Amino acid sequence: MNLSSIPRRKYNYGPTPIERLNNLSEYLDGPDVYIKRDDLLGLTGGGNKTRKLEFLVADALKNNADTLITCGAVQSNHCRLTLSAAKKEQLDCRLVLEERVSDSYNLNANGNNFLFNLLDAGDITVVPGGSDMMKEMEKVADQVRSEGKSPYIIPGGGSNEIGATGYVACAQEIMTQLFEHSLDIDYIVTTSGSAGTHAGLLVGMEGNNNHIPIVGISVNKEKKVQEENVYNLVKKTSDYLNVQNRIDRKSVNVFDDYVGPGYSLPTDRMKEAIKLLAQKEGILLDPVYTGKTMAGFIDLTRQGYFKKGDKILFIHTGGSPALYDYTSLFQ
Ligand SMILES: *Cc1c(COP(=O)(O)O)cnc(C)c1O
C-alpha cells in the first residue's frame, strides 16, 4: 500500500519508539509487554490525533479552508490537538464541546481545558450530551461562512477515512520497526473509541497481509456497537485507499468490560493501571482512554487470555494532559 500520493502535513519527527516494559512484564509474570509511544507524537501534548491531523489538515488546506471546526468531550485531546494544528498552520479553529457528563464543562478546569484557553480557542460552543454533533458543527460552519470565511469540518476524534489513514501509516511504521528489531509480536492492544485508531491499524496490517491480531478495548460503547463502528470505518478506509484484500469482519475484536460506569468516569482498575505504569515505568497514562485500556490488558492477562511468552504491543495513544483534571482521584 503506497500512501505517498495522499496529501499530508508533517507534525511528527520520525517513528515513535517501541520500548519493552521490563518492570511491568516482570510484575505481571505473564506476557512480554512492549509499548508504542504515540504519546510522544508532535503538536501540543502529543497523542494519536496528531497522526490523523497530518492527513485531515492537509485535506482542509487542499480545499482552501481557513477555519477548522471540530468537536469532542469537555476534556477532549482531539480538540486540543486540532487547535494546536490550527495555530501552527495559522488557521482559525472553532470547537464544539459535548457535555457527555452533565454540567461537566468548567471554564476554569485544568487539563485540556486549561490548554484550550492557553492556546486561545476563542469562542467555544458547549452543547448537552447526546446532541447531534454533526448538526451542531454545521451550525457553526454556517456562521463561519456568514463571516466570509471557509470552514472545514473534522468529525469527532478525526475518525473518518482520511483521519484513519494516519493509523494505516502507523501500522506500516510498526511493521518496519518489528522487522528492524526482529520482534515477533503476538497481539496488538489498542483503545477503541471513535474507531479511527483501531480501524486504521487493521487496514494497515491486514491490507499488507500482516495478520497480527488486534485487540480493541472499548472506552464507551458496547462490544457489538463498537465492532460495527470499527468495521464500517475499515470498509470506508479500505475503499478510500484502494486496498485489494477483503478484510474479514472476524478480525474486528473488541472487549467492552472496562468502560465502568461510562465514558470518562473513573474505575478502580483504571486508577491501579495508571499508578502501576507511573511507578514501575515512569510512563503517564490517562484516565479516559489508555488507563482503561491498560486496565483491560492487565485483567485479560490475569484471566489467562494473554499468556506467558506472548509478546504484546500496547499502543500508547496519549492523553496524559487530561490527567491534570483528575488529580483528586490520586491524592
Ligand atoms: C481519541 C483518543 C483515543 C481513541 O482513539 P480513537 O481513534 O478515537 O478510537 C485513545 N486515546 C487517546 C488519548 C485519545 O485521545
Side-chain angles (χ1 to χ4, degrees), residues 9-11 42-44 49-50 52-54 56-58 60-61 65-70 77-95 115-116 119-122 149-154:
R9 302 294 292 169
K10 227 28 204 143
Y11 302 139
L43 299 176
T44 311
K49 304 312 180 302
T50 302
K52 302 178 183 184
L53 286 161
E54 287 192 336
L56 289 161
V57 177
L61 293 172
D66 55 25
T67 305
L68 303 179
I69 299 174
T70 199
N77 300 303
H78 169 66
C79 286
R80 163 185 33 95
L81 287 165
T82 303
L83 180 59
S84 175
K87 295 296 165 178
K88 194 175 172 66
E89 303 284 4
Q90 301 208 289
L91 300 170
D92 281 348
C93 182
R94 300 289 182 84
L95 301 178
L115 294 172
F116 299 160
L119 272 65
D120 190 14
K149 303 192 66 124
S150 170
Y152 182 91
I153 293 179
I154 296 176

Side-chain angles (χ1 to χ4, degrees), residues 48-49 52 77-78 157 159 191-198 286 289-290 317-319:
N48 63 344
K49 304 312 180 302
K52 302 178 183 184
N77 300 303
H78 169 66
S159 285
T191 308
S192 203
S194 64
T197 303
H198 191 173
D286 81 286
Y289 298 98
T290 54
T317 45

Side-chain angles (χ1 to χ4, degrees), residues 225-244:
V225 175
Q226 185 64 16
E227 288 183 348
E228 210 48 41
N229 289 347
V230 173
Y231 191 53
N232 286 333
L233 189 52
V234 161
K235 285 189 289 191
K236 273 196 222 157
T237 309
S238 302
D239 288 347
Y240 176 65
L241 299 175
N242 289 313
V243 175
Q244 301 304 314

